[in-house]
Amino acid sequence: MHDDRLLVEARLERAMSQFVRPAQYGSRVPLVLSVWHVPGEPVPVDQALQAAYEPFTTGTSWGKPWSTSWFRLEGRVPEEWAGRRVEAVIDPGFTGDGPGFQAEGLLYDAAGVPLKGVHPRNRHLTVGAPASGGEPVHLLLEAAANPAVLHGFAPTRLGDVLTAGDRPGYRFRSAELAVLDEAVWQLVLDVEVLSELMHELPMDRPRRHEVLRALEDMLDALDLHDVPATAQRARAALAEVLSRPASASAHRVFATGHAHIDSAWLWPLRETVRKASRTFANVTALAADYPELVFSCSQAQQYAWVKEHQPHIWERIKKAVRDGNWAPVGSMWVESDANMPGGEALARQLVHGKRFFAEELGVETEEVWLPDSFGYTAAFPQLAKLAGIRWFLTQKLSWNQSNKMPHHTFWWEGIDGTRVFTHFPPVDTYNSQLHGRELAHAERNFADKGRATGSLVPFGWGDGGGGPTREMLEKARRLRSLEGSPTVEVVKPSVFFTTAEEEYGGQAPVWSGELYLELHRATYTTQAKTKQGNRRSEHALREAELWNATAAVRDPSYAYPYEELDRLWKTVLLHQFHDILPGSSIAWVHREARETYARVLAEVEELTAGAVAALGSGGPTVFNASPYQRTEVVGDALVTVPGLGSTALTGDASETVRAQQDGDSVLLENSRLRVTVDANGLLSSVRDLRADREVLCAPGNLLQLHPDHPNAWDAWDIDRHYRRRHTDLTDVESVELVADGPLRAAVRVTRTFGKSRITQEIRLAAGSRRVDIVTDVDWQESEKVLKAAFPVDVHAERSTAEIQFGHVHRPTHANTSWDAARFEICAHRWLRVAEEGYGVAVLNDSTYGHDVTRTPHEDGLGTTVRLTLLRAPHSPDPETDLGTHRFTYALMPGGDVVHAVAEGLALNLPLRVAGAPVVEPLVRVDHPAVTVESVKLAEDRSGDVVVRLYESRGGRARARLTPGFPVARAEVTDLLERPQRETDLGFELRPFQILTLRLRPA
């Protein structure tokens, strides 16, 4: 036979694009349009129903960026269409930009009941199936003129309503009633499934050629000038090849409907409320036609929004859950960043997420669902288990730049040894269309073939694209068992996980430690004020809960602020979403985040001050929210304050600090450290007096400025090549001694560079083991990154970085491609490098990005720790981080991990002075490696005290918790405060073990 394959394929392509697809809709009549352009922010449908509308014609421009227009669509189904499937088909001006990244709409009926979303790949609303003929059509379209912001990472002002301008972004193309020819529509789907399959089959497989010839026969059976009349005959030509079953060894695809909706990204939070509503309306409508549909949906926050703003859709969701068409998944309040949230915040993500799904929908979720977050902390497996979670899903690791993950289904082992069954779908997308190319890739790419036989495929348009479509479900029906293709079954994720664990759990490999994403490393730094707002809010809430619990236990009449704390926590959790906290959203999102954090901190401060005042009058008294006793300078006194307690503000002259000019340098010295600041404002020497050794191997606190031009993903990425060039900021405007003892000594250093100015106070306090560097920056750079370097004379094989409920070790070398890829790493309050017997920690109050490298010097090998302070990318926010910043970081020589934990907490939890009596700590722990993470009242409002603690050194710890109040009953609970067993409050913790205790006051 002559090889005419390419000719047949070209014939097919032209016939489908020019004749068959256009024939899906036959007769059409236009709808009559009128419009009301909302003058400001979006309004509820009730207001739109009362508005004054004016005539509108298709072809007219509409929609300045971020505006909303309400369109009335009116018409009547022609009598002659009786018995046909009639749909309203709407195109408000969709562009070539992807679904979810442009205009969207939600259709309502004449009474204001939401019906269905309108999206580029989902433009229809069924009017009658079949239509009666003659029925009137009265629809209301809420159309959002969301601009497409991301175009090759070029800077744009479209990312904020304040700067986006007034130019209309769309031209309304059409709004019609149309008859859907179901035979033609089904033919299109038959052809797509077979053509997509054919192109994935090897050229030497007979099946490929059989499909090609069947498609050729279909074309022969089709009259291109009368497609509707011959569509059934054409379908018959394909029936036999579509009926052949898959082989017994075919890869099994467990498909689940999905719509990954970023809670904010290239749109503000308020738009996500509407994106979720549109998609959820689509899904609940789709379930009526496709009872096999299962839609897996995470993020309790989005459910809560829809419950508040769209009660009709909320009721439909509840029905879909009952009917099995909807699977709440994820167990979290939002799909948060998984590196930077603090330990307690990550726990609260799970607590609030699981509680919402259980209380509102009666579902106990069993998986963490984080397909798109930028790497995953090694604390997650233990937190998942403590929350009653069995499984973990991610997708983002397929984006790795350097190394391919060796497994797709595996046990993930956390820092404490807990393991969670994990799947990383080999389809390499969480927005599948069930295209033949995607399914073939899943099969070829699956790393666990031979032992495991199936993988999960989430399908549906995300980010406001509307979710699964009827075309996807039609494809799933054809692909259920089709020769040459993986089999496809639409299921809940729990079906996949249960099946996979039963099949492969006993043999699955283990991945130990963090799941580091080899991409998007700059998300540890970008939008510094967002990160600072998160860090300060987390610690402020920690303090507020402690003192409010203390007040409630001391005075049973005190009203613990349950509602306020719940609301504030959920606000902070929302802003930990994986495009807000990482700094990768538009300017509007981060402007609002800064405003929100300011409100949160003000309200939390009010709650804390109120609780302290409720303890009574007295003082002045110093309150310590850290679980560790600390000695610090407060006012004109050196004060020692117990952990979680308070003491009177009285003077102590047992420690002093002195400062003196020494030639061109300034010398600061207390009983622990001697610090020399040279004429350039650098730390030329830091001597540990207790250990009698020099800490630095080169000048410290060296600010370094690098060009910062990643290949793509400006806000997200810092690429390795940035290291090739840098400028040491050694030029100094002034170096002046501004405090010379006896309790505080400080040197102020001022520098200017580019268009920016930085002022730093290098501070040493009496008795302190750390050198604090309080930094004020007026940052006006463009596409630069600012780092602070500390070359320390420590031969460290690895760095140790604090994460949630513990720490991780990372090599300081780059022996392997896996090591080399970690050229930028995340740490929470501290990062420590050590050799046997001695270590140095760098602490911070709001910085997450770091790098650690080996540093040869004349006398041996040292280690340089750098903090990544500020960036200035131009996309998606063209003015990222410009403006003034204030933050503190510190150098802590000597001490061990426990000292790093304690000093990191001290830096982030400033002592509080109030006119109140001294109160005993609510709880005490007698082991320094057991760190109290939170003290609060139980969420069930029983008045029980809940204490969460963990082993922080990385070893065993036998300890006892002593309450500062009579206890009637003490229990160990899970993360959600559900009792598991009684305890006498003595316990032995394994390395990094988390323990939650519940104490009932007597």
Side-chain angles (χ1 to χ4, degrees), residues 500-837:
E501 189 172 356
E502 289 175 354
E503 175 187 61
Y504 191 44
Q507 304 175 76
V510 175
W511 181 274
S512 182
E514 67 182 330
L515 292 171
Y516 178 89
L517 178 66
E518 296 175 357
L519 193 73
H520 294 358
R521 303 167 182 89
T523 57
Y524 313 146
T525 303
T526 306
Q527 297 286 0
K529 287 186 178 177
T530 298
K531 292 168 171 58
Q532 186 173 75
N534 173 73
R535 178 78 70 86
R536 292 184 178 172
S537 296
E538 288 178 343
H539 288 78
L541 282 164
R542 174 193 191 119
E543 185 179 13
E545 288 183 332
L546 170 65
W547 301 129
N548 275 277
T550 302
V553 170
R554 303 296 182 215
D555 179 3
S557 68
Y558 179 77
Y560 187 84
Y562 292 103
E563 289 88 355
E564 293 89 340
L565 288 168
D566 180 81
R567 173 175 48 79
L568 290 163
W569 261 115
K570 287 174 179 174
T571 300
V572 173
L573 299 181
L574 166 60
H575 285 79
Q576 291 177 342
F577 178 74
H578 67 256
D579 278 308
I580 303 179
L581 180 54
S584 47
S585 288
I586 56 174
W588 191 351
V589 172
H590 292 289
R591 171 172 58 81
E592 290 191 331
R594 292 190 294 270
E595 295 166 357
T596 297
Y597 283 128
R599 289 194 299 270
V600 166
L601 288 166
E603 191 169 349
V604 173
E605 173 58 29
E606 187 176 332
L607 293 178
T608 303
V612 172
L615 294 171
S617 59
T621 299
V622 183
F623 289 81
N624 176 18
S626 166
Y628 291 95
Q629 176 176 297
R630 56 207 272 201
T631 300
E632 289 187 14
V633 174
V634 180
D636 295 323
L638 186 66
V639 182
T640 299
V641 197
L644 308 177
S646 62
T647 193
L649 179 55
T650 57
D652 179 353
S654 60
E655 293 275 0
T656 61
V657 63
R658 66 185 182 89
Q660 66 182 50
Q661 199 77 34
D662 184 13
D664 290 337
S665 299
V666 180
L667 187 70
L668 314 177
E669 184 173 344
N670 67 10
S671 62
R672 294 178 177 274
L673 302 173
R674 182 185 302 127
V675 179
T676 304
V677 181
D678 69 15
N680 292 319
L682 303 177
L683 301 180
S684 59
S685 172
V686 176
R687 188 155 194 89
D688 185 335
L689 301 177
R690 303 282 176 93
D692 192 25
R693 64 181 285 171
E694 175 59 44
V695 174
L696 301 175
C697 59
N701 192 37
L702 174 63
L703 297 174
Q704 297 179 306
L705 192 67
H706 295 260
D708 186 14
H709 300 281
N711 293 346
W713 301 105
D714 292 30
W716 296 258
D717 283 359
I718 184 168
D719 286 347
R720 190 193 313 267
H721 61 251
Y722 89 92
R723 289 186 176 182
R724 295 176 182 269
R725 287 177 53 203
H726 76 271
T727 301
D728 291 340
L729 302 181
T730 56
D731 291 345
V732 65
E733 187 175 287
S734 64
V735 178
E736 54 183 324
L737 181 64
V738 294
D740 59 2
L743 296 178
R744 298 179 184 85
V747 175
R748 181 178 298 145
V749 179
T750 302
R751 306 180 192 277
T752 57
F753 55 94
K755 298 179 180 179
S756 302
R757 182 180 182 86
I758 184 165
T759 300
Q760 297 189 301
E761 280 198 8
I762 301 168
R763 297 178 178 177
L764 184 65
S768 178
R769 63 170 63 246
R770 68 180 201 245
V771 182
D772 290 353
I773 300 166
V774 181
T775 303
D776 290 280
V777 188
D778 183 2
W779 179 248
Q780 301 296 336
E781 300 308 297
S782 172
E783 297 179 309
K784 301 286 196 302
V785 58
L786 179 67
K787 290 191 170 248
F790 290 93
V792 298
D793 194 9
V794 170
H795 185 150
E797 293 292 322
R798 62 190 188 182
S799 65
T800 302
E802 185 186 40
I803 64 168
Q804 303 86 348
F805 298 106
H807 55 260
V808 292
H809 303 297
R810 301 179 179 105
T812 58
H813 58 69
N815 285 0
T816 71
S817 58
W818 297 89
D819 302 327
R822 287 177 167 85
F823 60 81
E824 185 80 3
I825 56 177
C826 184
H828 282 209
R829 292 170 296 228
W830 55 268
L831 186 148
R832 183 173 182 267
V833 292
E835 61 193 26
E836 180 63 32

Side-chain angles (χ1 to χ4, degrees), residues 473-509:
L473 287 161
E474 287 288 343
K475 285 188 174 184
R477 288 177 173 180
R478 289 161 173 79
L479 292 164
R480 185 172 181 85
S481 180
L482 180 64
E483 182 186 356
S485 169
T487 62
V488 174
E489 182 181 2
V490 179
V491 299
K492 294 181 178 180
S494 59
V495 172
F496 162 74
F497 276 110
T498 300
T499 303
E501 189 172 356
E502 289 175 354
E503 175 187 61
Y504 191 44
Q507 304 175 76

Side-chain angles (χ1 to χ4, degrees), residues 9-145:
E9 290 174 2
R11 178 189 174 196
L12 176 67
E13 175 58 32
R14 181 172 185 189
M16 294 301 295
S17 62
Q18 187 172 337
F19 297 97
V20 182
R21 287 193 178 92
Q24 292 176 93
Y25 284 107
S27 303
R28 302 168 184 255
V29 295
L31 291 164
V32 177
L33 299 178
S34 57
V35 66
W36 172 54
H37 299 296
V38 181
E41 282 293 281
V43 300
V45 66
D46 291 346
Q47 189 172 339
L49 288 169
Q50 303 301 317
Y53 286 71
E54 58 187 33
F56 185 87
T57 58
T58 57
T60 302
S61 296
W62 70 279
K64 67 180 182 181
W66 304 113
S67 68
T68 299
S69 295
W70 289 82
F71 294 91
R72 289 194 186 276
L73 294 73
E74 298 177 305
R76 185 175 297 275
V77 177
E79 297 285 354
E80 60 270 24
W81 291 3
R84 309 292 299 278
R85 185 182 185 95
V86 178
E87 298 180 344
V89 183
I90 300 162
D91 182 352
F94 293 129
T95 69
D97 297 294
F101 299 90
Q102 53 174 294
E104 301 171 43
L106 180 60
L107 283 166
Y108 296 78
D109 69 13
V113 175
L115 301 173
K116 181 181 174 294
V118 175
H119 311 274
R121 304 291 192 276
N122 199 340
R123 305 180 183 191
H124 72 279
L125 172 73
T126 301
V127 172
S132 301
E135 56 262 54
V137 175
H138 298 285
L139 298 171
L140 195 60
L141 173 67
E142 179 192 22

Side-chain angles (χ1 to χ4, degrees), residues 905-920:
L905 283 163
L907 185 61
N908 284 268
L909 287 167
L911 295 171
R912 171 182 297 271
V913 178
V918 173
V919 294
E920 289 298 306

